[in-house]
Amino acid sequence: MNQANIIDGKALGQVVRSSIAQRVSESGIPVRLDAVLVGTDRAAEIYARNQESTCAEVGIEYVLHRIPDGAGYDEIAGRVLLLNTDESVTGLMLHLPLPDAVDTERIQSLIDPAKDIEGVNPANIGNVVYGRRSLVPCTALAAVELIESTGIELKGARCVVIGASNIVGKPVAVLLMRGEATVISTNKFTRDLAAETLQADVLVSAAGVPGLVTPEMVKPGAVVVDVGINRITVSAGKRCTVGDVDFEGVREVAGWLTPVPGGVGPMTVAMLLRNAVDAALS
Ligand code: NAD
């Protein structure tokens, strides 16, 4: 019975983190990541706390700017603009969610593209399209890094991306195009998804739909990267996190497969740190 090679995002992410720590210590240049957190969202608080410790681990200074709940556009925008001009701030990001009344994309567009370590300013994705130096959205970078870790030749490979959001699906497709792959972008209106995915040498799923990718949809030997993070109920009171891919079924067909958790997630964290270092040292 075929058993796909498992792409271990945790181990690969750790390798990246070690090389980041080395770059930071050898550079002698202070690397600083400033994050803005509005209100008291529990998930954002946990994310910020974890971020502080991962930054410390690789020698990046982490500064959290708290803005009280109920802040409006002007207050948040003002803080972002202030941090843009502060030369000691080398990387800047916003924790989400922002208050409902605030236009998140408008605020994200204010972040100086050179400090935008999450790649959320449209200027950065524009640069990716043009093949220029840019800070690329971390999850998209992580997905492509994991694909490349398998050694597959992207040039000429047929890649299918499920999901076309601005932050994941579209940048993944653009990065694969930059690798001169043949890229098919699909979304929830795609008429026959399986007909597309069955042709894929590389399949990336970023839909947020548990169980979407079944073994019948996968070309034997394909590289399958599961970006989805879905909380599902498995039995009374018991919940767990799964991706978009039927892991047990697809591992019998695919050549390579990322697990959830332990695949794209930890590599995304590593890519954020790498972007922070790139922003500071370039
Ligand atoms: P989104 O909701 O913004 O976009 C989803 C995309 O999937 C859309 O283009 C939609 O058309 C498409 N889609 C939905 N159902 C589909 C279907 N049945 N068939 C084909 N396409 C379908 O989501 P997002 O922000 O891009 O996130 C996607 C998933 O990735 C979510 O599960 C999210 O939690 C996860 N995510 C993971 C990380 C990570 O670090 N691993 C980071 C960001 C997002």
mmCIF file of all heavy atoms in Angstrom, residues 139 162-169 186-190 193 205-209 212 226-230 244 264-265 268, ligand 1:
data_model
loop_
_atom_site.group_PDB
_atom_site.id
_atom_site.type_symbol
_atom_site.label_atom_id
_atom_site.label_comp_id
_atom_site.label_asym_id
_atom_site.label_seq_id
_atom_site.Cartn_x
_atom_site.Cartn_y
_atom_site.Cartn_z
ATOM 1 N N THR A 139 1.990 32.734 4.900
ATOM 2 C CA THR A 139 1.419 31.402 4.689
ATOM 3 C C THR A 139 1.681 30.929 3.262
ATOM 4 O O THR A 139 1.968 29.750 3.026
ATOM 5 C CB THR A 139 -0.100 31.418 4.984
ATOM 6 O OG1 THR A 139 -0.272 31.925 6.301
ATOM 7 C CG2 THR A 139 -0.699 30.041 4.887
ATOM 8 N N ILE A 162 -6.426 25.357 -4.620
ATOM 9 C CA ILE A 162 -7.845 25.463 -4.244
ATOM 10 C C ILE A 162 -7.970 26.635 -3.278
ATOM 11 O O ILE A 162 -7.329 26.648 -2.223
ATOM 12 C CB ILE A 162 -8.353 24.168 -3.561
ATOM 13 C CG1 ILE A 162 -8.061 22.945 -4.422
ATOM 14 C CG2 ILE A 162 -9.846 24.291 -3.265
ATOM 15 C CD1 ILE A 162 -8.487 21.617 -3.771
ATOM 16 N N GLY A 163 -8.804 27.617 -3.647
ATOM 17 C CA GLY A 163 -8.951 28.821 -2.832
ATOM 18 C C GLY A 163 -8.159 29.951 -3.455
ATOM 19 O O GLY A 163 -7.041 29.747 -3.942
ATOM 20 N N ALA A 164 -8.760 31.141 -3.464
ATOM 21 C CA ALA A 164 -8.125 32.273 -4.144
ATOM 22 C C ALA A 164 -8.230 33.547 -3.304
ATOM 23 O O ALA A 164 -8.486 34.630 -3.826
ATOM 24 C CB ALA A 164 -8.754 32.463 -5.513
ATOM 25 N N SER A 165 -8.013 33.410 -1.985
ATOM 26 C CA SER A 165 -8.075 34.614 -1.145
ATOM 27 C C SER A 165 -6.835 35.466 -1.388
ATOM 28 O O SER A 165 -5.809 34.979 -1.869
ATOM 29 C CB SER A 165 -8.151 34.232 0.341
ATOM 30 O OG SER A 165 -6.923 33.667 0.750
ATOM 31 N N ASN A 166 -6.944 36.741 -1.008
ATOM 32 C CA ASN A 166 -5.812 37.661 -1.209
ATOM 33 C C ASN A 166 -4.603 37.261 -0.378
ATOM 34 O O ASN A 166 -3.465 37.505 -0.759
ATOM 35 C CB ASN A 166 -6.217 39.086 -0.806
ATOM 36 C CG ASN A 166 -7.172 39.683 -1.816
ATOM 37 O OD1 ASN A 166 -7.220 39.247 -2.962
ATOM 38 N ND2 ASN A 166 -7.954 40.662 -1.380
ATOM 39 N N ILE A 167 -4.858 36.662 0.783
ATOM 40 C CA ILE A 167 -3.760 36.419 1.715
ATOM 41 C C ILE A 167 -3.122 35.037 1.532
ATOM 42 O O ILE A 167 -1.978 34.830 1.886
ATOM 43 C CB ILE A 167 -4.219 36.684 3.180
ATOM 44 C CG1 ILE A 167 -3.044 36.889 4.113
ATOM 45 C CG2 ILE A 167 -5.169 35.649 3.694
ATOM 46 C CD1 ILE A 167 -2.257 38.127 3.867
ATOM 47 N N VAL A 168 -3.866 34.071 0.955
ATOM 48 C CA VAL A 168 -3.269 32.739 0.774
ATOM 49 C C VAL A 168 -3.312 32.287 -0.693
ATOM 50 O O VAL A 168 -2.286 32.205 -1.366
ATOM 51 C CB VAL A 168 -3.938 31.658 1.669
ATOM 52 C CG1 VAL A 168 -3.100 30.378 1.622
ATOM 53 C CG2 VAL A 168 -4.104 32.101 3.100
ATOM 54 N N GLY A 169 -4.506 31.980 -1.189
ATOM 55 C CA GLY A 169 -4.613 31.338 -2.512
ATOM 56 C C GLY A 169 -3.963 32.122 -3.644
ATOM 57 O O GLY A 169 -3.184 31.563 -4.427
ATOM 58 N N THR A 186 -8.411 27.701 -8.477
ATOM 59 C CA THR A 186 -9.821 27.304 -8.379
ATOM 60 C C THR A 186 -10.468 27.965 -7.166
ATOM 61 O O THR A 186 -9.778 28.451 -6.271
ATOM 62 C CB THR A 186 -9.957 25.776 -8.248
ATOM 63 O OG1 THR A 186 -9.423 25.385 -6.977
ATOM 64 C CG2 THR A 186 -9.225 25.038 -9.359
ATOM 65 N N ASN A 187 -11.781 27.970 -7.155
ATOM 66 C CA ASN A 187 -12.529 28.572 -6.049
ATOM 67 C C ASN A 187 -13.859 27.848 -5.889
ATOM 68 O O ASN A 187 -14.102 26.846 -6.564
ATOM 69 C CB ASN A 187 -12.729 30.069 -6.293
ATOM 70 C CG ASN A 187 -13.454 30.311 -7.598
ATOM 71 O OD1 ASN A 187 -14.585 29.864 -7.792
ATOM 72 N ND2 ASN A 187 -12.794 30.970 -8.537
ATOM 73 N N LYS A 188 -14.727 28.369 -5.020
ATOM 74 C CA LYS A 188 -15.955 27.623 -4.727
ATOM 75 C C LYS A 188 -16.909 27.544 -5.912
ATOM 76 O O LYS A 188 -17.875 26.778 -5.884
ATOM 77 C CB LYS A 188 -16.655 28.191 -3.494
ATOM 78 C CG LYS A 188 -17.129 29.599 -3.624
ATOM 79 C CD LYS A 188 -17.703 30.064 -2.290
ATOM 80 C CE LYS A 188 -17.911 31.552 -2.331
ATOM 81 N NZ LYS A 188 -18.091 32.144 -1.026
ATOM 82 N N PHE A 189 -16.660 28.321 -6.961
ATOM 83 C CA PHE A 189 -17.518 28.254 -8.148
ATOM 84 C C PHE A 189 -16.935 27.370 -9.251
ATOM 85 O O PHE A 189 -17.535 27.226 -10.319
ATOM 86 C CB PHE A 189 -17.775 29.664 -8.698
ATOM 87 C CG PHE A 189 -18.436 30.563 -7.681
ATOM 88 C CD1 PHE A 189 -17.734 31.594 -7.074
ATOM 89 C CD2 PHE A 189 -19.751 30.344 -7.293
ATOM 90 C CE1 PHE A 189 -18.330 32.396 -6.117
ATOM 91 C CE2 PHE A 189 -20.364 31.137 -6.334
ATOM 92 C CZ PHE A 189 -19.642 32.166 -5.745
ATOM 93 N N THR A 190 -15.769 26.796 -8.997
ATOM 94 C CA THR A 190 -15.158 25.909 -10.005
ATOM 95 C C THR A 190 -16.114 24.751 -10.278
ATOM 96 O O THR A 190 -16.614 24.119 -9.339
ATOM 97 C CB THR A 190 -13.791 25.395 -9.482
ATOM 98 O OG1 THR A 190 -12.943 26.528 -9.313
ATOM 99 C CG2 THR A 190 -13.160 24.406 -10.438
ATOM 100 N N LEU A 193 -14.212 20.421 -9.678
ATOM 101 C CA LEU A 193 -12.936 20.571 -8.973
ATOM 102 C C LEU A 193 -12.069 19.326 -9.143
ATOM 103 O O LEU A 193 -10.869 19.420 -9.406
ATOM 104 C CB LEU A 193 -13.213 20.852 -7.487
ATOM 105 C CG LEU A 193 -12.001 21.195 -6.623
ATOM 106 C CD1 LEU A 193 -11.326 22.477 -7.093
ATOM 107 C CD2 LEU A 193 -12.402 21.320 -5.154
ATOM 108 N N SER A 205 -4.308 23.095 -1.040
ATOM 109 C CA SER A 205 -5.696 23.396 -0.670
ATOM 110 C C SER A 205 -5.736 24.455 0.419
ATOM 111 O O SER A 205 -5.185 24.280 1.505
ATOM 112 C CB SER A 205 -6.436 22.141 -0.199
ATOM 113 O OG SER A 205 -7.808 22.483 -0.018
ATOM 114 N N ALA A 206 -6.405 25.567 0.123
ATOM 115 C CA ALA A 206 -6.559 26.668 1.077
ATOM 116 C C ALA A 206 -7.995 27.159 0.981
ATOM 117 O O ALA A 206 -8.258 28.299 0.624
ATOM 118 C CB ALA A 206 -5.570 27.782 0.767
ATOM 119 N N ALA A 207 -8.924 26.264 1.295
ATOM 120 C CA ALA A 207 -10.347 26.601 1.181
ATOM 121 C C ALA A 207 -10.997 26.792 2.548
ATOM 122 O O ALA A 207 -11.953 27.546 2.701
ATOM 123 C CB ALA A 207 -11.068 25.497 0.407
ATOM 124 N N GLY A 208 -10.492 26.082 3.561
ATOM 125 C CA GLY A 208 -11.147 26.132 4.869
ATOM 126 C C GLY A 208 -12.381 25.259 4.904
ATOM 127 O O GLY A 208 -13.373 25.586 5.555
ATOM 128 N N VAL A 209 -12.300 24.117 4.199
ATOM 129 C CA VAL A 209 -13.438 23.176 4.150
ATOM 130 C C VAL A 209 -12.931 21.778 4.544
ATOM 131 O O VAL A 209 -12.218 21.136 3.762
ATOM 132 C CB VAL A 209 -14.064 23.115 2.733
ATOM 133 C CG1 VAL A 209 -15.230 22.133 2.697
ATOM 134 C CG2 VAL A 209 -14.504 24.501 2.277
ATOM 135 N N LEU A 212 -12.532 18.330 2.190
ATOM 136 C CA LEU A 212 -12.772 18.728 0.787
ATOM 137 C C LEU A 212 -11.978 17.856 -0.190
ATOM 138 O O LEU A 212 -12.497 17.439 -1.225
ATOM 139 C CB LEU A 212 -12.377 20.203 0.608
ATOM 140 C CG LEU A 212 -12.481 20.771 -0.805
ATOM 141 C CD1 LEU A 212 -13.938 20.806 -1.267
ATOM 142 C CD2 LEU A 212 -11.883 22.175 -0.876
ATOM 143 N N ASP A 226 -1.625 21.038 2.543
ATOM 144 C CA ASP A 226 -2.916 21.356 3.156
ATOM 145 C C ASP A 226 -2.774 22.607 4.024
ATOM 146 O O ASP A 226 -2.168 22.565 5.101
ATOM 147 C CB ASP A 226 -3.342 20.152 4.014
ATOM 148 C CG ASP A 226 -4.762 20.256 4.502
ATOM 149 O OD1 ASP A 226 -5.397 21.317 4.297
ATOM 150 O OD2 ASP A 226 -5.263 19.276 5.089
ATOM 151 N N VAL A 227 -3.332 23.707 3.543
ATOM 152 C CA VAL A 227 -3.223 24.972 4.279
ATOM 153 C C VAL A 227 -4.389 25.131 5.266
ATOM 154 O O VAL A 227 -4.306 25.881 6.226
ATOM 155 C CB VAL A 227 -3.187 26.169 3.297
ATOM 156 C CG1 VAL A 227 -3.041 27.489 4.043
ATOM 157 C CG2 VAL A 227 -2.048 26.025 2.293
ATOM 158 N N GLY A 228 -5.461 24.398 5.035
ATOM 159 C CA GLY A 228 -6.685 24.575 5.839
ATOM 160 C C GLY A 228 -6.459 24.386 7.328
ATOM 161 O O GLY A 228 -5.655 23.555 7.748
ATOM 162 N N ILE A 229 -7.146 25.190 8.109
ATOM 163 C CA ILE A 229 -7.181 25.005 9.567
ATOM 164 C C ILE A 229 -8.649 25.058 9.951
ATOM 165 O O ILE A 229 -9.282 26.120 9.852
ATOM 166 C CB ILE A 229 -6.423 26.115 10.325
ATOM 167 C CG1 ILE A 229 -4.955 26.140 9.913
ATOM 168 C CG2 ILE A 229 -6.546 25.918 11.831
ATOM 169 C CD1 ILE A 229 -4.129 27.218 10.620
ATOM 170 N N ASN A 230 -9.198 23.927 10.322
ATOM 171 C CA ASN A 230 -10.629 23.864 10.630
ATOM 172 C C ASN A 230 -10.830 23.186 11.979
ATOM 173 O O ASN A 230 -10.255 22.135 12.239
ATOM 174 C CB ASN A 230 -11.356 23.032 9.561
ATOM 175 C CG ASN A 230 -11.022 23.502 8.150
ATOM 176 O OD1 ASN A 230 -11.361 24.607 7.774
ATOM 177 N ND2 ASN A 230 -10.340 22.657 7.370
ATOM 178 N N ASP A 244 -7.990 20.648 5.139
ATOM 179 C CA ASP A 244 -9.005 20.465 4.094
ATOM 180 C C ASP A 244 -8.924 19.064 3.494
ATOM 181 O O ASP A 244 -9.815 18.643 2.762
ATOM 182 C CB ASP A 244 -8.752 21.444 2.924
ATOM 183 C CG ASP A 244 -8.995 22.895 3.301
ATOM 184 O OD1 ASP A 244 -9.541 23.153 4.396
ATOM 185 O OD2 ASP A 244 -8.645 23.769 2.479
ATOM 186 N N VAL A 264 1.850 23.351 7.433
ATOM 187 C CA VAL A 264 1.993 24.748 7.009
ATOM 188 C C VAL A 264 2.073 25.701 8.220
ATOM 189 O O VAL A 264 2.804 26.690 8.180
ATOM 190 C CB VAL A 264 0.815 25.140 6.078
ATOM 191 C CG1 VAL A 264 0.882 26.609 5.707
ATOM 192 C CG2 VAL A 264 0.822 24.276 4.823
ATOM 193 N N GLY A 265 1.353 25.378 9.292
ATOM 194 C CA GLY A 265 1.286 26.277 10.463
ATOM 195 C C GLY A 265 2.668 26.650 10.998
ATOM 196 O O GLY A 265 3.035 27.834 11.024
ATOM 197 N N THR A 268 4.699 28.706 8.665
ATOM 198 C CA THR A 268 4.230 30.092 8.554
ATOM 199 C C THR A 268 4.884 30.964 9.630
ATOM 200 O O THR A 268 5.312 32.092 9.358
ATOM 201 C CB THR A 268 2.686 30.149 8.682
ATOM 202 O OG1 THR A 268 2.129 29.402 7.600
ATOM 203 C CG2 THR A 268 2.159 31.562 8.636
HETATM 204 P P1 NAD B 1 -11.038 32.584 2.651
HETATM 205 O O1 NAD B 1 -12.349 32.168 3.259
HETATM 206 O O2 NAD B 1 -10.670 34.004 2.566
HETATM 207 O O3 NAD B 1 -10.965 31.978 1.168
HETATM 208 C C1 NAD B 1 -11.384 30.676 0.889
HETATM 209 C C2 NAD B 1 -11.219 30.396 -0.576
HETATM 210 O O4 NAD B 1 -11.568 29.027 -0.785
HETATM 211 C C3 NAD B 1 -12.131 31.225 -1.493
HETATM 212 O O5 NAD B 1 -11.427 31.587 -2.660
HETATM 213 C C4 NAD B 1 -13.274 30.243 -1.851
HETATM 214 O O6 NAD B 1 -13.853 30.498 -3.119
HETATM 215 C C5 NAD B 1 -12.531 28.924 -1.825
HETATM 216 N N1 NAD B 1 -13.410 27.800 -1.524
HETATM 217 C C6 NAD B 1 -14.264 27.667 -0.479
HETATM 218 N N2 NAD B 1 -14.940 26.498 -0.569
HETATM 219 C C7 NAD B 1 -14.487 25.883 -1.683
HETATM 220 C C8 NAD B 1 -14.819 24.657 -2.305
HETATM 221 N N3 NAD B 1 -15.751 23.846 -1.814
HETATM 222 N N4 NAD B 1 -14.171 24.333 -3.459
HETATM 223 C C9 NAD B 1 -13.224 25.167 -3.987
HETATM 224 N N5 NAD B 1 -12.880 26.352 -3.425
HETATM 225 C C10 NAD B 1 -13.510 26.689 -2.287
HETATM 226 O O7 NAD B 1 -9.946 31.750 3.475
HETATM 227 P P2 NAD B 1 -8.364 31.998 3.689
HETATM 228 O O8 NAD B 1 -8.158 33.137 4.613
HETATM 229 O O9 NAD B 1 -7.667 31.969 2.380
HETATM 230 O O10 NAD B 1 -8.010 30.668 4.492
HETATM 231 C C11 NAD B 1 -8.195 29.402 3.897
HETATM 232 C C12 NAD B 1 -7.877 28.327 4.922
HETATM 233 O O11 NAD B 1 -6.492 28.441 5.273
HETATM 234 C C13 NAD B 1 -8.647 28.461 6.240
HETATM 235 O O12 NAD B 1 -8.894 27.173 6.756
HETATM 236 C C14 NAD B 1 -7.673 29.187 7.141
HETATM 237 O O13 NAD B 1 -7.896 28.910 8.514
HETATM 238 C C15 NAD B 1 -6.379 28.577 6.669
HETATM 239 N N6 NAD B 1 -5.194 29.424 6.942
HETATM 240 C C16 NAD B 1 -4.113 28.785 7.420
HETATM 241 C C17 NAD B 1 -2.979 29.488 7.713
HETATM 242 C C18 NAD B 1 -1.770 28.745 8.223
HETATM 243 O O14 NAD B 1 -0.842 29.363 8.723
HETATM 244 N N7 NAD B 1 -1.734 27.420 8.104
HETATM 245 C C19 NAD B 1 -2.945 30.867 7.501
HETATM 246 C C20 NAD B 1 -4.046 31.504 6.943
HETATM 247 C C21 NAD B 1 -5.180 30.746 6.667
#
